[in-house]
Amino acid sequence: MHVRTKSKAPAAVGHADPVVVQFQESVRALTETWDAMVWLNTTNLEVNARRREIAAWGRNANQSLADTFGREVDSDEIRVLFTEMPHLVPRAPGDRGRLLLAVLASEARVLADRGRTAVEALHPSVTR
């Protein structure tokens, strides 16, 4: 059973576990990249491909967090997913949860870097 929540408790924000902190920081970096690219009015294939990848990652990550922790963000809006995801992580994520968070953090960091590169190629001043 999945519990949909918009609450921020129990939040892992400020967590001492380095895997959780890495996840939080990676999602934050991806959020910044998303914010830089989502408002661009462009037909640039690279930027649009990165947008689609990031949006798909957000939906898939939300589902993975729901499968692992039994809670998901109740929104289809990508910005909301990224803002609320860190609050889904329990204080004690367990081994399976820590592994998931490590994988998600790695993926998010790669997507953030790729997205930032695509935006900077189009508009160098946007991400600085």
Side-chain angles (χ1 to χ4, degrees), residues 3-117:
V3 178
R4 294 180 176 260
T5 182
K6 289 187 180 182
S7 75
K8 297 185 184 216
V13 177
H15 206 283
D17 186 330
V19 173
V20 176
V21 172
Q22 180 185 20
F23 170 73
Q24 293 168 339
E25 290 173 354
S26 297
V27 171
R28 190 174 311 117
L30 191 56
T31 303
E32 290 170 5
T33 300
W34 179 258
D35 287 346
M37 68 181 1
V38 74
W39 302 112
L40 292 176
N41 186 14
T42 182
T43 58
N44 181 280
L45 296 176
E46 183 70 17
V47 170
N48 289 331
R50 297 304 142 237
R51 280 183 189 157
R52 284 190 300 276
E53 284 179 347
I54 292 170
W57 181 90
R59 289 186 291 273
N60 293 338
N62 189 40
Q63 184 60 53
S64 293
L65 291 168
D67 292 345
T68 302
F69 301 124
R71 298 171 30 164
E72 65 186 332
V73 179
D74 188 18
S75 178
D76 292 328
E77 186 179 339
I78 302 306
R79 178 77 162 98
V80 173
L81 289 176
F82 293 162
T83 301
E84 295 296 321
M85 270 183 198
H87 302 289
L88 299 177
V89 180
R91 296 218 180 270
D95 291 340
R96 181 173 174 233
R98 291 181 85 247
L99 179 60
L100 171 67
L101 294 174
V103 169
L104 292 177
S106 177
E107 293 171 350
R109 186 65 70 182
V110 168
L111 289 171
D113 290 345
R114 286 182 186 163
R116 191 175 312 108
T117 299

